[in-house]
Amino acid sequence: MYCALPTRYTNTMLTKNTIKLIRSLELKKFRTRENSFVAEGPKVVGDLLAVMRPKMVFATSQWISENNTNGIDVEIVSEDELSRISFLQHPQQVLAVFPMPSYDESIDYTKELKGKLTLALDSVQDPGNLGTIIRIADWFGIETILCSHETADAYNPKVIQATMGSIARVRIIYTDLTKTLETIASQMPIYGTFLDGENIHSRQLPKEAVIVMGNEGKGISQEVARLVTDRVLIPNYPEGRPTADSLNVAIATAITCAEFRRNS
């Protein structure tokens, strides 16, 4: 949490350069270059303001009157001006630009995972799924998600919006997932969902583990699958009944996390 300073409000017109900068952050290459991402709406922005200091905040008078800005400099904008920088069909009173957290891949983060439940995402590519999974992790008290470099960018505006503020409480680390799991495998069990796995509802599940969730179409890759120590299955009901080929990865994540928390 940053230290609060006196709040300063400005009421200047948005410049073309500011609009261009914010709009550019829709693309990953510009988010990387600027080391910044966009968050919108009272819920998402409010949760992020509680844990990090923004680079810029643009808000309507209504939002300012209803929120304690805790020393944040805010530029007052009209609804029309907000719509010019918003990525939403219906802008929600406030938009903020935050610095992207960065993590050094050379550091062994696995020591911090001891005794905890952790998610690992192997090439989950849909922004909506990723945002929902981050929200699920937050709900079930999972503090860290390990992501392969092929996984969607967590700071995509669509992902940020789908997290509903949970991005403020869940640490996202992009890593060479195979190498990271090779290190973890000697320290704690690694679970993955497979069609040939053991019924997850019949297992006693541990408090300390990594749960791997795979790509929407291909599932868990062969490189990662060989590192999974425990293969589990979310069964359909009743057994033998014709059914859907698979579950959406976010829904499967929710069921799996719920089962781990119920059993552990």
Side-chain angles (χ1 to χ4, degrees):
M1 179 67 178
Y2 55 82
C3 296
L5 298 171
T7 300
R8 182 178 65 186
Y9 300 110
T10 56
N11 201 359
T12 57
M13 294 289 290
L14 285 174
T15 67
K16 290 183 179 180
N17 286 340
T18 299
I19 295 172
K20 182 179 179 181
L21 170 62
I22 294 172
R23 297 298 304 179
S24 74
L25 297 179
E26 185 172 18
L27 299 178
K28 182 177 180 179
K29 65 178 181 178
F30 293 115
R31 291 195 295 272
T32 301
R33 187 186 72 182
E34 301 295 333
N35 191 36
S36 302
F37 70 95
V38 172
E40 298 191 58
K43 170 61 176 168
V44 180
V45 172
D47 284 0
L48 284 165
L49 286 177
V51 297
M52 67 174 69
R53 191 171 189 85
K55 291 185 173 183
M56 296 181 280
V57 179
F58 304 88
T60 62
S61 298
Q62 179 182 349
W63 183 85
I64 291 170
S65 67
E66 296 173 353
N67 291 272
N68 181 353
T69 54
N70 292 322
I72 299 300
D73 293 343
V74 180
E75 184 163 338
I76 304 170
V77 293
S78 65
E79 294 281 359
D80 181 61
E81 287 177 310
L82 190 61
S83 68
R84 295 173 67 187
I85 55 175
S86 174
F87 297 113
L88 303 178
Q89 185 175 0
H90 302 290
Q92 299 177 12
Q93 299 181 7
V94 60
L95 179 150
V97 177
F98 291 92
M100 287 198 301
S102 59
Y103 300 100
D104 184 350
E105 279 200 55
S106 65
I107 297 175
D108 182 7
Y109 293 103
T110 59
K111 296 177 182 178
E112 301 176 29
L113 308 182
K114 294 292 291 179
K116 300 178 181 179
L117 199 60
T118 300
L119 279 174
L121 304 183
D122 183 14
S123 301
V124 172
Q125 296 181 336
D126 182 78
N129 283 337
L130 178 55
T132 302
I133 289 171
I134 294 171
R135 190 175 177 185
I136 290 166
D138 186 25
W139 181 262
F140 286 107
I142 296 173
E143 300 172 349
T144 302
I145 299 178
L146 303 172
C147 296
S148 68
H149 290 298
E150 294 74 30
T151 294
D153 181 13
Y155 299 99
N156 179 316
K158 292 180 180 178
V159 177
I160 297 294
Q161 210 61 30
T163 71
M164 290 298 291
S166 291
I167 191 71
R169 292 175 293 275
V170 179
R171 179 174 62 170
I172 314 297
I173 299 177
Y174 284 86
T175 184
D176 182 323
L177 192 58
T178 302
K179 288 184 178 180
T180 300
L181 292 178
E182 284 175 345
T183 302
I184 291 174
S186 63
Q187 303 178 46
M188 67 182 76
I190 299 174
Y191 283 74
T193 53
F194 296 88
L195 292 177
D196 62 350
E198 183 180 347
N199 188 331
I200 193 170
H201 305 309
S202 64
R203 292 289 304 270
Q204 182 64 39
L205 302 169
K207 294 181 179 180
E208 177 189 72
V210 174
I211 303 169
V212 181
M213 305 305 297
N215 174 269
E216 289 88 344
K218 300 177 181 178
I220 297 173
S221 65
Q222 290 184 356
E223 295 81 6
V224 172
R226 67 179 177 82
L227 298 169
V228 171
T229 60
D230 294 82
R231 300 165 74 97
V232 293
L233 165 72
I234 300 172
N236 64 302
Y237 289 92
E239 185 177 351
R241 173 183 174 273
T243 186
D245 291 337
S246 62
L247 287 172
N248 169 275
V249 65
I251 293 173
T253 301
I255 294 171
T256 303
C257 290
E259 198 65 20
F260 266 83
R261 290 309 193 200
R262 184 180 72 85
N263 275 274
S264 61

